[in-house]
């Protein structure tokens, strides 16, 4: 996410500055202050347990931002209904989208207590109304490292999104749940969620993905059976060819042996003939 873009510290080319006054700012806190608020006490406890100075944490935000390979300082999600053709910001549908997104946003933090929202903006000065929601995912009571620490995976797990298959990760489950929350708000305003790629109504993203994967697996199984059949047929043909080649080799060897015997017999006959002639 670009926090400076979200709060319009600079204006991009796709932004209509005359409509910026129509945007909604829900919160816009300094992320470093948020880190102090959430983690200073945990950092203090952690450092008190260290016996080596080089293992102490002096700046947790800097540590996550520059050193962590697994976590990011914050996460951003962008929420939008439709597109510029169906929900253009300057149309009646666009204003309806604003109401829906506003109601959805007002319930976001309550639904997600482990995602600390520090920056949230509803933009009406671009082609389509949309939300930028920036949050710090964290957990408490951790047995590893800081007892309160940054972790998107663990934060979502704490909210009940346990990881499953590769496709049904904590994040994917959470995204599907939030989409359903948005769809519920949309329904209250008479807007139906037309999910692209399927004609089945109210089918969750994960259910749709599972069905698509099942189709792919079934197709791969069919291809596998077909390939297995072809391989078996080729195997039989190879066996036949091997037998034919073996027969030809045997016949060739027999022919060579017969030819050799014939040569030997001719040589013997010639020698006997010469002996007879010499005797006469």
């Amino acid at each position: 996410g670009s926090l400076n873009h979200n709060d319009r510290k600079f204006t991009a080319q796709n932004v209509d500055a005359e409509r910026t006054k129509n945007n909604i700012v829900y919160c816009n806190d300094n992320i470093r202050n948020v880190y102090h608020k959430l983690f200073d006490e945990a950092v203090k406890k952690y450092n008190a347990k260290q016996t080596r100075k080089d293992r102490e944490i002096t700046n947790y935000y800097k540590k996550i931002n520059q050193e962590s390979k697994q976590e990011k300082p914050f996460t951003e999600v962008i929420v939008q209904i439709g597109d510029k053709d169906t929900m253009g910001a300057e149309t009646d549908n666009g204003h309806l989208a604003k109401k829906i997104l506003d109601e959805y946003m007002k319930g976001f933090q309550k639904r997600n207590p482990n995602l600390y929202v520090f920056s949230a903006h509803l933009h009406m000065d671009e082609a389509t109304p949309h939300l930028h929601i920036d949050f710090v995912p964290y957990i408490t009571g951790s047995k590893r490292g800081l007892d309160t620490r940054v972790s998107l995976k663990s934060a979502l797990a704490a909210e009940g999104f346990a990881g499953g298959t590769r496709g049904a990760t904590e994040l994917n489950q959470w995204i599907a749940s939030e989409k359903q929350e948005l769809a519920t708000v949309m329904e209250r305003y008479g807007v139906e969620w037309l999910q692209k790629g399927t004609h089945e109504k109210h089918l969750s993203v994960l259910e749709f993905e599972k069905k698509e994967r099942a189709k792919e697996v079934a197709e791969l199984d069919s291809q596998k059976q077909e390939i297995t059949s072809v391989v078996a047929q080729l195997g039989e043909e190879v066996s036949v060819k091997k037998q034919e080649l073996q027969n030809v080799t045997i016949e060739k060897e027999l022919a060579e042996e017969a030819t050799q015997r014939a040569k030997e017999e001719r040589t013997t006959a010639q020698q006997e003939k010469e002996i007879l002639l010499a005797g006469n």
Side-chain angles (χ1 to χ4, degrees):
S2 174
L3 300 177
N4 289 334
H5 166 76
N6 295 349
D7 66 9
R8 296 303 188 244
K9 280 189 171 63
F10 70 87
T11 302
Q13 291 183 350
N14 63 325
V15 173
D16 182 353
E18 293 184 0
R19 290 191 280 123
T20 298
K21 63 181 181 295
N22 299 325
N23 294 347
I24 299 177
V25 179
Y26 298 95
C27 59
N28 189 27
D29 300 331
N30 184 290
I31 188 171
R32 289 171 178 77
N33 293 337
V34 171
Y35 265 68
H36 286 304
K37 177 181 178 180
L38 292 177
F39 307 113
D40 270 5
E41 186 62 30
V43 169
K44 183 179 179 180
K45 291 179 182 178
Y46 176 84
N47 287 342
K49 297 178 182 178
Q50 303 308 309
T51 57
R52 288 173 46 179
K53 198 72 176 176
D54 61 335
R55 290 184 177 177
E56 292 184 5
I57 298 174
T58 56
N59 187 321
Y60 189 52
Y61 174 79
K62 182 178 179 181
K63 179 178 177 62
I64 295 296
N65 191 36
Q66 298 181 4
E67 300 176 22
S68 178
K69 296 180 180 180
Q70 294 181 327
E71 304 296 343
K72 298 177 181 178
F74 69 95
T75 300
E76 176 176 285
V77 292
I78 301 174
V79 185
Q80 177 176 307
I81 304 169
D83 53 31
K84 63 183 179 62
D85 297 321
T86 58
M87 289 284 184
E90 296 185 87
T91 67
D92 290 341
N93 279 349
H95 291 293
L96 179 59
K98 181 179 181 179
K99 292 180 181 179
I100 294 170
L101 292 171
D102 179 59
E103 184 173 328
Y104 165 83
M105 179 62 217
K106 287 177 178 177
F108 185 89
Q109 187 66 88
K110 185 177 180 180
R111 286 193 307 274
N112 299 285
N114 290 85
L115 310 180
Y116 187 96
V117 179
F118 67 93
S119 175
H121 299 75
L122 197 165
H123 288 161
M124 294 295 295
D125 55 1
E126 297 180 47
T128 310
H130 59 275
L131 284 166
H132 290 266
I133 308 174
D134 298 277
F135 55 82
V136 177
Y138 72 101
I139 58 168
T140 59
S142 174
K143 303 299 182 183
R144 180 172 60 86
L146 276 65
D147 59 10
T148 300
R149 62 183 177 87
V150 174
S151 176
L152 178 60
K153 178 183 176 73
S154 298
L156 296 178
E159 295 186 2
F161 300 98
T165 63
R166 184 176 181 180
T169 62
E170 292 88 351
L171 180 60
N172 285 344
Q173 290 181 41
W174 175 76
I175 290 173
S177 176
E178 285 299 309
K179 284 184 176 181
Q180 195 57 56
E181 288 289 343
L182 180 60
T184 300
V185 179
M186 289 163 57
E187 287 180 357
R188 289 200 285 271
Y189 287 85
V191 179
E192 184 181 358
W193 180 13
L194 298 179
Q195 300 182 47
K196 294 181 178 181
T198 176
H199 297 292
E200 298 181 49
K201 296 181 179 180
H202 311 298
L203 182 65
S204 76
V205 173
L206 286 179
E207 289 173 339
F208 172 65
E209 288 182 348
K210 287 178 181 177
K211 287 194 174 184
E212 289 301 300
R213 296 298 82 75
K215 291 179 183 177
E216 290 178 6
V217 170
E219 184 177 350
L220 288 172
D221 283 342
S222 177
Q223 292 177 1
K224 180 181 177 182
Q225 291 176 2
E226 183 178 347
I227 291 172
T228 301
S229 177
V230 171
V231 169
Q233 183 178 351
L234 289 174
E236 292 177 0
E237 292 179 1
V238 168
S239 296
V240 171
K241 293 296 182 183
K242 282 183 177 180
Q243 187 62 50
E244 291 178 353
L245 181 59
Q246 186 176 2
N247 293 339
V248 169
T249 301
I250 293 173
E251 291 176 358
K252 181 180 179 182
E253 290 175 352
L254 292 174
E256 289 176 348
E257 290 178 2
T259 301
Q260 184 63 31
R261 285 197 301 272
K263 286 182 178 179
E264 291 174 354
E265 289 174 356
R266 282 199 299 271
T267 300
T268 300
Q270 183 63 32
Q271 289 174 348
E272 291 176 353
K273 180 179 179 182
E274 290 175 353
I275 292 172
L276 290 172
L277 290 174
N280 294 330

